[in-house]
Amino acid sequence: MGCYKNAQVCLNGHATTDDTTNTALCSDFCSLCGEKTITTCPSCDAPIRGRYHVPNAFGRMSMSYHPPAYCHHCGEPFPWTQRKLDAAQELVADMEELTMEEQEKLNKCFPNIMTDTPMTSVSANKIKRYLAKLPDYAGSCLRDIFVDVMSETAKKIIWPS
Ligand SMILES: [Zn+2]
Ligand SMILES: [Zn+2]
């Protein structure tokens, strides 16, 4: 039987630690970007899920930790998730290659590539089609924004490697 440790994450989504009982790693601000760090969901105060701890299990330290996109308790997007969506929308708003209607459709796809839902592959394929019309930097910016939080299904469709 395992349980989740509590993670500390900055508002931009950098984890300072995946286990807040390790106080040596905790800090009020992020050393990578200077943002404030949080350990609970701003909407409902539930602890942010960190490392999944299994007592007496070896080899668990090798797993890399990515902060969750949504709160497991209230379902709200975490601040870093919202910031990623905002950044993507900002990028799309500059794309003169797309009509307003196309920009809107593209923006609606982004939340669906961050988690696995029935809409994930539909949205990922739409994004791929739009990217074909856009300059290369649009694709690499989007990749930088979402790479840590993307569903594997979406990643394989948009950026097969
Ligand atoms: Zn940070
Ligand atoms: Zn919550």
CSV table of all heavy atoms in Angstrom, one decimal, residues 45-108:
chain,number,residue,atom,x,y,z
A,45,ASP,N,-7.3,24.0,-1.4
A,45,ASP,CA,-6.3,23.7,-0.2
A,45,ASP,C,-5.9,22.2,-0.1
A,45,ASP,O,-5.3,21.9,0.9
A,45,ASP,CB,-6.9,24.1,1.1
A,45,ASP,CG,-6.5,25.6,1.4
A,45,ASP,OD1,-5.6,26.1,0.7
A,45,ASP,OD2,-7.0,26.1,2.4
A,46,ALA,N,-6.3,21.4,-1.0
A,46,ALA,CA,-5.8,20.0,-0.9
A,46,ALA,C,-4.3,20.0,-1.2
A,46,ALA,O,-3.8,20.7,-2.0
A,46,ALA,CB,-6.5,19.1,-2.0
A,47,PRO,N,-3.5,19.1,-0.5
A,47,PRO,CA,-2.1,19.0,-0.8
A,47,PRO,C,-1.8,18.6,-2.3
A,47,PRO,O,-2.5,17.7,-2.8
A,47,PRO,CB,-1.6,17.9,0.2
A,47,PRO,CG,-2.7,17.6,1.1
A,47,PRO,CD,-4.0,18.1,0.5
A,48,ILE,N,-0.8,19.2,-2.9
A,48,ILE,CA,-0.5,18.8,-4.2
A,48,ILE,C,0.2,17.5,-4.2
A,48,ILE,O,1.1,17.2,-3.4
A,48,ILE,CB,0.5,19.9,-4.9
A,48,ILE,CG1,-0.2,21.2,-4.9
A,48,ILE,CG2,1.0,19.4,-6.2
A,48,ILE,CD1,0.8,22.4,-5.2
A,49,ARG,N,-0.3,16.6,-5.0
A,49,ARG,CA,0.3,15.2,-5.0
A,49,ARG,C,1.7,15.2,-5.5
A,49,ARG,O,2.1,15.8,-6.6
A,49,ARG,CB,-0.5,14.3,-6.0
A,49,ARG,CG,-1.7,13.7,-5.3
A,49,ARG,CD,-2.4,12.7,-6.2
A,49,ARG,NE,-3.5,12.0,-5.4
A,49,ARG,CZ,-4.4,11.2,-6.0
A,49,ARG,NH1,-4.3,11.0,-7.2
A,49,ARG,NH2,-5.3,10.6,-5.2
A,50,GLY,N,2.6,14.6,-4.7
A,50,GLY,CA,4.0,14.5,-5.1
A,50,GLY,C,4.3,13.1,-5.4
A,50,GLY,O,3.6,12.4,-6.1
A,51,ARG,N,5.5,12.7,-5.0
A,51,ARG,CA,5.9,11.3,-5.3
A,51,ARG,C,5.0,10.3,-4.7
A,51,ARG,O,4.5,10.5,-3.6
A,51,ARG,CB,7.3,11.1,-4.7
A,51,ARG,CG,7.9,9.8,-4.7
A,51,ARG,CD,9.4,9.8,-4.7
A,51,ARG,NE,9.9,10.5,-3.5
A,51,ARG,CZ,10.1,9.9,-2.3
A,51,ARG,NH1,9.7,8.6,-2.2
A,51,ARG,NH2,10.6,10.5,-1.3
A,52,TYR,N,4.8,9.2,-5.4
A,52,TYR,CA,4.0,8.1,-4.9
A,52,TYR,C,4.9,7.2,-4.1
A,52,TYR,O,5.9,6.7,-4.6
A,52,TYR,CB,3.3,7.3,-6.0
A,52,TYR,CG,2.3,6.3,-5.5
A,52,TYR,CD1,1.1,6.7,-5.0
A,52,TYR,CD2,2.6,4.9,-5.6
A,52,TYR,CE1,0.2,5.8,-4.5
A,52,TYR,CE2,1.7,4.0,-5.1
A,52,TYR,CZ,0.5,4.4,-4.6
A,52,TYR,OH,-0.4,3.5,-4.1
A,53,HIS,N,4.6,7.2,-2.8
A,53,HIS,CA,5.6,6.5,-1.9
A,53,HIS,C,5.1,5.1,-1.6
A,53,HIS,O,4.0,4.9,-1.1
A,53,HIS,CB,5.7,7.3,-0.6
A,53,HIS,CG,6.5,6.7,0.5
A,53,HIS,ND1,7.9,6.6,0.4
A,53,HIS,CD2,6.1,6.0,1.6
A,53,HIS,CE1,8.3,6.0,1.5
A,53,HIS,NE2,7.3,5.6,2.2
A,54,VAL,N,6.0,4.1,-1.8
A,54,VAL,CA,5.7,2.7,-1.5
A,54,VAL,C,6.7,2.3,-0.4
A,54,VAL,O,7.9,2.4,-0.6
A,54,VAL,CB,5.8,1.8,-2.7
A,54,VAL,CG1,5.4,0.4,-2.3
A,54,VAL,CG2,5.0,2.3,-3.8
A,55,PRO,N,6.2,2.0,0.8
A,55,PRO,CA,7.1,1.7,1.9
A,55,PRO,C,8.0,0.5,1.5
A,55,PRO,O,7.5,-0.5,0.9
A,55,PRO,CB,6.2,1.3,3.1
A,55,PRO,CG,4.8,1.8,2.7
A,55,PRO,CD,4.8,1.9,1.2
A,56,ASN,N,9.3,0.6,1.9
A,56,ASN,CA,10.2,-0.5,1.7
A,56,ASN,C,10.5,-0.9,0.2
A,56,ASN,O,11.0,-1.9,-0.1
A,56,ASN,CB,9.8,-1.8,2.4
A,56,ASN,CG,9.5,-1.5,3.9
A,56,ASN,OD1,10.3,-0.8,4.5
A,56,ASN,ND2,8.5,-2.1,4.4
A,57,ALA,N,10.1,0.0,-0.7
A,57,ALA,CA,10.3,-0.3,-2.1
A,57,ALA,C,11.7,0.4,-2.5
A,57,ALA,O,12.0,1.5,-2.1
A,57,ALA,CB,9.2,0.3,-3.0
A,58,PHE,N,12.4,-0.4,-3.3
A,58,PHE,CA,13.7,0.2,-3.7
A,58,PHE,C,13.6,0.7,-5.2
A,58,PHE,O,12.7,0.3,-5.9
A,58,PHE,CB,14.8,-0.9,-3.7
A,58,PHE,CG,15.1,-1.3,-2.3
A,58,PHE,CD1,14.6,-2.5,-1.8
A,58,PHE,CD2,15.9,-0.5,-1.5
A,58,PHE,CE1,14.9,-2.9,-0.5
A,58,PHE,CE2,16.2,-0.9,-0.2
A,58,PHE,CZ,15.7,-2.1,0.3
A,59,GLY,N,14.5,1.6,-5.5
A,59,GLY,CA,14.5,2.1,-6.9
A,59,GLY,C,13.5,3.1,-7.2
A,59,GLY,O,13.4,3.6,-8.3
A,60,ARG,N,12.7,3.6,-6.2
A,60,ARG,CA,11.7,4.6,-6.5
A,60,ARG,C,12.3,6.0,-6.8
A,60,ARG,O,11.7,6.8,-7.5
A,60,ARG,CB,10.7,4.7,-5.4
A,60,ARG,CG,11.4,5.1,-4.1
A,60,ARG,CD,10.4,5.2,-3.0
A,60,ARG,NE,10.8,5.0,-1.6
A,60,ARG,CZ,11.8,5.7,-1.0
A,60,ARG,NH1,12.4,6.6,-1.6
A,60,ARG,NH2,12.1,5.5,0.3
A,61,MET,N,13.5,6.2,-6.4
A,61,MET,CA,14.1,7.6,-6.6
A,61,MET,C,14.4,7.9,-8.0
A,61,MET,O,14.6,9.0,-8.4
A,61,MET,CB,15.4,7.7,-5.7
A,61,MET,CG,15.2,7.7,-4.2
A,61,MET,SD,14.1,8.9,-3.7
A,61,MET,CE,15.1,10.4,-3.8
A,62,SER,N,14.5,6.8,-8.8
A,62,SER,CA,14.9,7.1,-10.2
A,62,SER,C,13.8,7.7,-11.1
A,62,SER,O,14.1,8.2,-12.1
A,62,SER,CB,15.4,5.8,-10.8
A,62,SER,OG,14.4,4.8,-10.8
A,63,MET,N,12.6,7.6,-10.5
A,63,MET,CA,11.5,8.1,-11.3
A,63,MET,C,11.5,9.7,-11.3
A,63,MET,O,11.6,10.3,-10.2
A,63,MET,CB,10.1,7.6,-10.8
A,63,MET,CG,9.6,6.4,-11.6
A,63,MET,SD,8.1,5.8,-10.9
A,63,MET,CE,7.1,7.2,-10.9
A,64,SER,N,11.4,10.3,-12.5
A,64,SER,CA,11.3,11.7,-12.5
A,64,SER,C,9.9,12.2,-12.2
A,64,SER,O,8.9,11.6,-12.6
A,64,SER,CB,11.9,12.3,-13.8
A,64,SER,OG,11.0,12.0,-14.8
A,65,TYR,N,9.8,13.3,-11.5
A,65,TYR,CA,8.5,13.7,-11.1
A,65,TYR,C,8.0,14.9,-11.9
A,65,TYR,O,8.8,15.9,-12.1
A,65,TYR,CB,8.6,14.2,-9.6
A,65,TYR,CG,7.3,14.9,-9.1
A,65,TYR,CD1,6.2,14.2,-8.8
A,65,TYR,CD2,7.3,16.3,-8.9
A,65,TYR,CE1,5.0,14.9,-8.4
A,65,TYR,CE2,6.2,17.0,-8.5
A,65,TYR,CZ,5.1,16.2,-8.3
A,65,TYR,OH,3.9,16.9,-7.8
A,66,HIS,N,6.8,14.9,-12.4
A,66,HIS,CA,6.2,16.0,-13.1
A,66,HIS,C,5.0,16.4,-12.3
A,66,HIS,O,4.1,15.6,-12.0
A,66,HIS,CB,5.8,15.7,-14.5
A,66,HIS,CG,7.0,15.5,-15.4
A,66,HIS,ND1,7.9,16.5,-15.7
A,66,HIS,CD2,7.4,14.4,-16.1
A,66,HIS,CE1,8.8,16.0,-16.5
A,66,HIS,NE2,8.6,14.7,-16.7
A,67,PRO,N,4.8,17.7,-11.9
A,67,PRO,CA,3.6,18.1,-11.2
A,67,PRO,C,2.4,17.8,-12.0
A,67,PRO,O,2.4,17.9,-13.2
A,67,PRO,CB,3.8,19.7,-11.1
A,67,PRO,CG,5.3,19.9,-11.3
A,67,PRO,CD,5.7,18.8,-12.2
A,68,PRO,N,1.3,17.5,-11.3
A,68,PRO,CA,0.0,17.2,-12.0
A,68,PRO,C,-0.5,18.5,-12.7
A,68,PRO,O,-0.2,19.6,-12.3
A,68,PRO,CB,-0.9,16.7,-10.9
A,68,PRO,CG,-0.3,17.3,-9.6
A,68,PRO,CD,1.1,17.4,-9.9
A,69,ALA,N,-1.3,18.3,-13.8
A,69,ALA,CA,-1.9,19.4,-14.5
A,69,ALA,C,-3.1,20.0,-13.7
A,69,ALA,O,-3.4,21.2,-13.7
A,69,ALA,CB,-2.3,19.0,-15.9
A,70,TYR,N,-3.9,19.0,-13.2
A,70,TYR,CA,-5.2,19.4,-12.5
A,70,TYR,C,-5.2,18.9,-11.1
A,70,TYR,O,-4.5,17.9,-10.8
A,70,TYR,CB,-6.4,18.8,-13.3
A,70,TYR,CG,-6.5,19.3,-14.7
A,70,TYR,CD1,-5.9,18.7,-15.7
A,70,TYR,CD2,-7.2,20.5,-14.9
A,70,TYR,CE1,-6.0,19.2,-17.0
A,70,TYR,CE2,-7.3,21.0,-16.2
A,70,TYR,CZ,-6.7,20.4,-17.2
A,70,TYR,OH,-6.8,20.9,-18.5
A,71,CYS,N,-5.9,19.5,-10.2
A,71,CYS,CA,-6.0,19.1,-8.8
A,71,CYS,C,-6.9,17.8,-8.8
A,71,CYS,O,-8.0,17.8,-9.3
A,71,CYS,CB,-6.7,20.2,-8.0
A,71,CYS,SG,-7.0,19.7,-6.3
A,72,HIS,N,-6.3,16.8,-8.0
A,72,HIS,CA,-7.1,15.6,-7.9
A,72,HIS,C,-8.3,15.7,-7.1
A,72,HIS,O,-9.2,14.9,-7.1
A,72,HIS,CB,-6.2,14.5,-7.3
A,72,HIS,CG,-5.8,14.7,-5.9
A,72,HIS,ND1,-4.9,15.6,-5.5
A,72,HIS,CD2,-6.4,14.2,-4.8
A,72,HIS,CE1,-4.8,15.6,-4.2
A,72,HIS,NE2,-5.8,14.8,-3.7
A,73,HIS,N,-8.4,16.8,-6.3
A,73,HIS,CA,-9.4,16.9,-5.3
A,73,HIS,C,-10.6,17.8,-5.8
A,73,HIS,O,-11.8,17.5,-5.6
A,73,HIS,CB,-8.9,17.5,-4.0
A,73,HIS,CG,-9.8,17.5,-2.9
A,73,HIS,ND1,-10.4,18.6,-2.4
A,73,HIS,CD2,-10.3,16.4,-2.1
A,73,HIS,CE1,-11.2,18.2,-1.4
A,73,HIS,NE2,-11.1,16.9,-1.2
A,74,CYS,N,-10.3,18.9,-6.6
A,74,CYS,CA,-11.4,19.7,-7.0
A,74,CYS,C,-11.4,19.8,-8.6
A,74,CYS,O,-12.4,20.4,-9.1
A,74,CYS,CB,-11.3,21.1,-6.4
A,74,CYS,SG,-9.9,22.1,-7.1
A,75,GLY,N,-10.4,19.3,-9.2
A,75,GLY,CA,-10.5,19.3,-10.7
A,75,GLY,C,-10.1,20.6,-11.4
A,75,GLY,O,-10.0,20.7,-12.6
A,76,GLU,N,-9.7,21.6,-10.6
A,76,GLU,CA,-9.3,22.9,-11.2
A,76,GLU,C,-7.9,22.8,-11.8
A,76,GLU,O,-7.1,22.0,-11.2
A,76,GLU,CB,-9.3,24.0,-10.1
A,76,GLU,CG,-10.7,24.5,-9.7
A,76,GLU,CD,-11.4,25.2,-10.8
A,76,GLU,OE1,-10.8,26.1,-11.5
A,76,GLU,OE2,-12.6,24.8,-11.1
A,77,PRO,N,-7.6,23.5,-12.9
A,77,PRO,CA,-6.2,23.5,-13.3
A,77,PRO,C,-5.3,24.2,-12.3
A,77,PRO,O,-5.7,25.2,-11.8
A,77,PRO,CB,-6.3,24.3,-14.7
A,77,PRO,CG,-7.6,25.0,-14.6
A,77,PRO,CD,-8.5,24.3,-13.7
A,78,PHE,N,-4.1,23.7,-12.1
A,78,PHE,CA,-3.1,24.4,-11.3
A,78,PHE,C,-2.6,25.7,-12.0
A,78,PHE,O,-2.8,25.8,-13.2
A,78,PHE,CB,-2.0,23.5,-11.0
A,78,PHE,CG,-2.3,22.5,-9.9
A,78,PHE,CD1,-2.3,21.1,-10.2
A,78,PHE,CD2,-2.6,22.9,-8.6
A,78,PHE,CE1,-2.6,20.2,-9.2
A,78,PHE,CE2,-2.9,21.9,-7.6
A,78,PHE,CZ,-2.9,20.6,-7.9
A,79,PRO,N,-2.1,26.6,-11.2
A,79,PRO,CA,-1.6,27.9,-11.8
A,79,PRO,C,-0.7,27.7,-13.0
A,79,PRO,O,-0.8,28.4,-14.0
A,79,PRO,CB,-0.9,28.6,-10.7
A,79,PRO,CG,-1.5,28.0,-9.5
A,79,PRO,CD,-1.9,26.6,-9.8
A,80,TRP,N,0.2,26.7,-13.0
A,80,TRP,CA,1.1,26.5,-14.1
A,80,TRP,C,0.4,25.9,-15.3
A,80,TRP,O,0.8,26.3,-16.4
A,80,TRP,CB,2.3,25.5,-13.7
A,80,TRP,CG,1.9,24.3,-13.0
A,80,TRP,CD1,1.5,23.1,-13.6
A,80,TRP,CD2,1.7,24.0,-11.6
A,80,TRP,NE1,1.2,22.1,-12.7
A,80,TRP,CE2,1.3,22.7,-11.4
A,80,TRP,CE3,1.9,24.8,-10.5
A,80,TRP,CZ2,1.0,22.1,-10.2
A,80,TRP,CZ3,1.7,24.3,-9.2
A,80,TRP,CH2,1.2,23.0,-9.1
A,81,THR,N,-0.7,25.2,-15.1
A,81,THR,CA,-1.4,24.7,-16.2
A,81,THR,C,-2.1,25.9,-16.9
A,81,THR,O,-2.1,26.0,-18.2
A,81,THR,CB,-2.5,23.7,-15.7
A,81,THR,OG1,-1.8,22.7,-15.0
A,81,THR,CG2,-3.3,23.1,-16.9
A,82,GLN,N,-2.7,26.7,-16.2
A,82,GLN,CA,-3.4,27.9,-16.7
A,82,GLN,C,-2.4,28.8,-17.5
A,82,GLN,O,-2.6,29.3,-18.5
A,82,GLN,CB,-4.1,28.7,-15.6
A,82,GLN,CG,-5.1,29.7,-16.1
A,82,GLN,CD,-6.1,29.1,-17.0
A,82,GLN,OE1,-6.7,28.1,-16.6
A,82,GLN,NE2,-6.3,29.7,-18.2
A,83,ARG,N,-1.2,29.0,-16.9
A,83,ARG,CA,-0.2,29.8,-17.5
A,83,ARG,C,0.3,29.2,-18.9
A,83,ARG,O,0.6,29.9,-19.8
A,83,ARG,CB,1.1,30.0,-16.6
A,83,ARG,CG,0.8,30.9,-15.5
A,83,ARG,CD,2.0,31.2,-14.6
A,83,ARG,NE,1.6,32.1,-13.5
A,83,ARG,CZ,2.4,32.7,-12.7
A,83,ARG,NH1,3.7,32.5,-12.9
A,83,ARG,NH2,2.0,33.5,-11.8
A,84,LYS,N,0.4,27.9,-18.9
A,84,LYS,CA,0.7,27.3,-20.2
A,84,LYS,C,-0.3,27.5,-21.3
A,84,LYS,O,-0.1,27.8,-22.4
A,84,LYS,CB,1.0,25.8,-20.0
A,84,LYS,CG,2.3,25.4,-19.3
A,84,LYS,CD,2.4,24.0,-19.0
A,84,LYS,CE,3.6,23.7,-18.1
A,84,LYS,NZ,4.9,24.0,-18.6
A,85,LEU,N,-1.6,27.4,-20.8
A,85,LEU,CA,-2.7,27.6,-21.8
A,85,LEU,C,-2.7,29.1,-22.2
A,85,LEU,O,-2.9,29.4,-23.4
A,85,LEU,CB,-4.0,27.3,-21.1
A,85,LEU,CG,-4.3,25.8,-20.9
A,85,LEU,CD1,-5.5,25.6,-20.1
A,85,LEU,CD2,-4.3,25.0,-22.2
A,86,ASP,N,-2.4,30.0,-21.3
A,86,ASP,CA,-2.4,31.4,-21.6
A,86,ASP,C,-1.2,31.7,-22.6
A,86,ASP,O,-1.4,32.5,-23.5
A,86,ASP,CB,-2.1,32.3,-20.3
A,86,ASP,CG,-3.4,32.3,-19.4
A,86,ASP,OD1,-4.4,31.8,-19.9
A,86,ASP,OD2,-3.2,32.7,-18.3
A,87,ALA,N,-0.1,31.1,-22.3
A,87,ALA,CA,1.1,31.3,-23.2
A,87,ALA,C,0.8,30.8,-24.6
A,87,ALA,O,1.1,31.5,-25.6
A,87,ALA,CB,2.3,30.6,-22.7
A,88,ALA,N,0.1,29.7,-24.7
A,88,ALA,CA,-0.2,29.1,-26.0
A,88,ALA,C,-1.2,30.0,-26.8
A,88,ALA,O,-1.0,30.3,-28.0
A,88,ALA,CB,-0.8,27.7,-25.9
A,89,GLN,N,-2.1,30.5,-26.0
A,89,GLN,CA,-3.1,31.4,-26.7
A,89,GLN,C,-2.5,32.7,-27.2
A,89,GLN,O,-2.8,33.3,-28.2
A,89,GLN,CB,-4.2,31.8,-25.7
A,89,GLN,CG,-5.1,30.6,-25.4
A,89,GLN,CD,-6.4,30.9,-24.7
A,89,GLN,OE1,-6.8,32.1,-24.6
A,89,GLN,NE2,-7.2,29.9,-24.3
A,90,GLU,N,-1.5,33.2,-26.4
A,90,GLU,CA,-0.8,34.4,-26.8
A,90,GLU,C,0.0,34.2,-28.1
A,90,GLU,O,0.0,35.0,-29.0
A,90,GLU,CB,0.2,34.8,-25.6
A,90,GLU,CG,1.1,35.9,-25.9
A,90,GLU,CD,0.6,37.2,-25.1
A,90,GLU,OE1,-0.1,37.0,-24.1
A,90,GLU,OE2,0.9,38.3,-25.5
A,91,LEU,N,0.6,33.0,-28.2
A,91,LEU,CA,1.3,32.7,-29.4
A,91,LEU,C,0.4,32.6,-30.6
A,91,LEU,O,0.6,33.2,-31.6
A,91,LEU,CB,2.0,31.3,-29.2
A,91,LEU,CG,2.7,30.7,-30.4
A,91,LEU,CD1,4.0,31.4,-30.6
A,91,LEU,CD2,3.0,29.2,-30.1
A,92,VAL,N,-0.8,31.9,-30.4
A,92,VAL,CA,-1.7,31.8,-31.4
A,92,VAL,C,-2.3,33.1,-31.9
A,92,VAL,O,-2.5,33.3,-33.1
A,92,VAL,CB,-2.9,30.8,-31.0
A,92,VAL,CG1,-4.0,30.8,-32.0
A,92,VAL,CG2,-2.3,29.4,-30.8
A,93,ALA,N,-2.5,34.0,-31.0
A,93,ALA,CA,-3.0,35.3,-31.3
A,93,ALA,C,-2.1,36.1,-32.3
A,93,ALA,O,-2.6,37.0,-33.0
A,93,ALA,CB,-3.3,36.2,-30.0
A,94,ASP,N,-0.9,35.8,-32.3
A,94,ASP,CA,0.1,36.4,-33.2
A,94,ASP,C,0.1,35.8,-34.6
A,94,ASP,O,0.8,36.3,-35.5
A,94,ASP,CB,1.5,36.4,-32.6
A,94,ASP,CG,1.7,37.5,-31.6
A,94,ASP,OD1,0.9,38.4,-31.5
A,94,ASP,OD2,2.6,37.3,-30.7
A,95,MET,N,-0.6,34.7,-34.8
A,95,MET,CA,-0.5,34.0,-36.0
A,95,MET,C,-1.4,34.6,-37.1
A,95,MET,O,-2.6,34.2,-37.1
A,95,MET,CB,-0.8,32.5,-35.8
A,95,MET,CG,0.2,31.8,-34.9
A,95,MET,SD,1.8,31.8,-35.7
A,95,MET,CE,2.8,31.7,-34.2
A,96,GLU,N,-0.8,35.4,-38.0
A,96,GLU,CA,-1.7,36.0,-39.0
A,96,GLU,C,-2.1,35.0,-40.1
A,96,GLU,O,-3.0,35.3,-40.9
A,96,GLU,CB,-0.9,37.2,-39.6
A,96,GLU,CG,-0.8,38.4,-38.7
A,96,GLU,CD,0.3,39.3,-39.1
A,96,GLU,OE1,1.0,39.0,-40.1
A,96,GLU,OE2,0.5,40.3,-38.4
A,97,GLU,N,-1.4,33.9,-40.1
A,97,GLU,CA,-1.8,32.8,-41.1
A,97,GLU,C,-3.1,32.2,-40.8
A,97,GLU,O,-3.7,31.6,-41.6
A,97,GLU,CB,-0.7,31.7,-41.0
A,97,GLU,CG,0.7,32.1,-41.5
A,97,GLU,CD,1.5,32.7,-40.4
A,97,GLU,OE1,1.0,33.0,-39.3
A,97,GLU,OE2,2.7,32.9,-40.7
A,98,LEU,N,-3.6,32.4,-39.6
A,98,LEU,CA,-4.9,31.8,-39.2
A,98,LEU,C,-6.0,32.9,-39.0
A,98,LEU,O,-5.7,34.0,-38.6
A,98,LEU,CB,-4.8,31.1,-37.9
A,98,LEU,CG,-3.8,29.9,-37.8
A,98,LEU,CD1,-3.7,29.4,-36.4
A,98,LEU,CD2,-4.1,28.8,-38.8
A,99,THR,N,-7.2,32.5,-39.4
A,99,THR,CA,-8.4,33.4,-39.2
A,99,THR,C,-8.7,33.4,-37.7
A,99,THR,O,-8.3,32.5,-37.0
A,99,THR,CB,-9.6,33.0,-40.0
A,99,THR,OG1,-10.0,31.7,-39.5
A,99,THR,CG2,-9.3,32.9,-41.5
A,100,MET,N,-9.5,34.4,-37.3
A,100,MET,CA,-9.9,34.4,-35.9
A,100,MET,C,-10.6,33.1,-35.5
A,100,MET,O,-10.5,32.6,-34.4
A,100,MET,CB,-10.9,35.6,-35.7
A,100,MET,CG,-10.3,37.0,-35.7
A,100,MET,SD,-9.2,37.3,-34.3
A,100,MET,CE,-10.5,37.9,-33.2
A,101,GLU,N,-11.4,32.6,-36.5
A,101,GLU,CA,-12.2,31.4,-36.2
A,101,GLU,C,-11.2,30.2,-36.0
A,101,GLU,O,-11.4,29.4,-35.1
A,101,GLU,CB,-13.2,31.2,-37.3
A,101,GLU,CG,-14.3,30.2,-37.0
A,101,GLU,CD,-15.0,29.7,-38.2
A,101,GLU,OE1,-14.9,30.4,-39.3
A,101,GLU,OE2,-15.7,28.7,-38.1
A,102,GLU,N,-10.2,30.2,-36.9
A,102,GLU,CA,-9.3,29.1,-36.7
A,102,GLU,C,-8.5,29.2,-35.4
A,102,GLU,O,-8.2,28.2,-34.8
A,102,GLU,CB,-8.3,29.1,-37.9
A,102,GLU,CG,-8.9,28.6,-39.2
A,102,GLU,CD,-8.0,28.8,-40.4
A,102,GLU,OE1,-7.3,29.8,-40.5
A,102,GLU,OE2,-8.0,27.9,-41.3
A,103,GLN,N,-8.1,30.4,-35.1
A,103,GLN,CA,-7.4,30.6,-33.8
A,103,GLN,C,-8.2,30.1,-32.6
A,103,GLN,O,-7.7,29.5,-31.7
A,103,GLN,CB,-7.1,32.1,-33.6
A,103,GLN,CG,-6.0,32.6,-34.6
A,103,GLN,CD,-5.7,34.1,-34.3
A,103,GLN,OE1,-6.2,34.7,-33.4
A,103,GLN,NE2,-4.7,34.6,-35.1
A,104,GLU,N,-9.5,30.4,-32.7
A,104,GLU,CA,-10.4,30.0,-31.6
A,104,GLU,C,-10.4,28.5,-31.5
A,104,GLU,O,-10.4,27.9,-30.4
A,104,GLU,CB,-11.8,30.6,-31.8
A,104,GLU,CG,-12.4,31.2,-30.6
A,104,GLU,CD,-13.6,32.0,-31.0
A,104,GLU,OE1,-14.6,31.4,-31.1
A,104,GLU,OE2,-13.4,33.3,-31.3
A,105,LYS,N,-10.6,27.8,-32.7
A,105,LYS,CA,-10.6,26.4,-32.7
A,105,LYS,C,-9.3,25.8,-32.2
A,105,LYS,O,-9.4,24.8,-31.4
A,105,LYS,CB,-10.9,25.9,-34.1
A,105,LYS,CG,-12.3,26.0,-34.6
A,105,LYS,CD,-12.5,25.4,-35.9
A,105,LYS,CE,-13.9,25.7,-36.5
A,105,LYS,NZ,-14.0,25.4,-37.9
A,106,LEU,N,-8.2,26.3,-32.6
A,106,LEU,CA,-6.9,25.8,-32.1
A,106,LEU,C,-6.8,26.0,-30.6
A,106,LEU,O,-6.4,25.0,-29.9
A,106,LEU,CB,-5.8,26.6,-32.8
A,106,LEU,CG,-4.4,26.2,-32.6
A,106,LEU,CD1,-4.1,24.7,-32.7
A,106,LEU,CD2,-3.4,27.0,-33.5
A,107,ASN,N,-7.2,27.1,-30.1
A,107,ASN,CA,-7.1,27.3,-28.6
A,107,ASN,C,-7.9,26.3,-27.8
A,107,ASN,O,-7.5,25.9,-26.7
A,107,ASN,CB,-7.6,28.7,-28.2
A,107,ASN,CG,-6.6,29.8,-28.6
A,107,ASN,OD1,-5.4,29.5,-28.5
A,107,ASN,ND2,-7.0,31.0,-28.9
A,108,LYS,N,-9.1,25.9,-28.4
A,108,LYS,CA,-9.9,24.9,-27.7
A,108,LYS,C,-9.3,23.5,-27.6
A,108,LYS,O,-9.6,22.7,-26.8
A,108,LYS,CB,-11.3,24.8,-28.4
A,108,LYS,CG,-12.1,26.0,-28.1
A,108,LYS,CD,-13.6,25.6,-28.4
A,108,LYS,CE,-14.5,26.9,-28.1
A,108,LYS,NZ,-15.1,27.3,-29.4
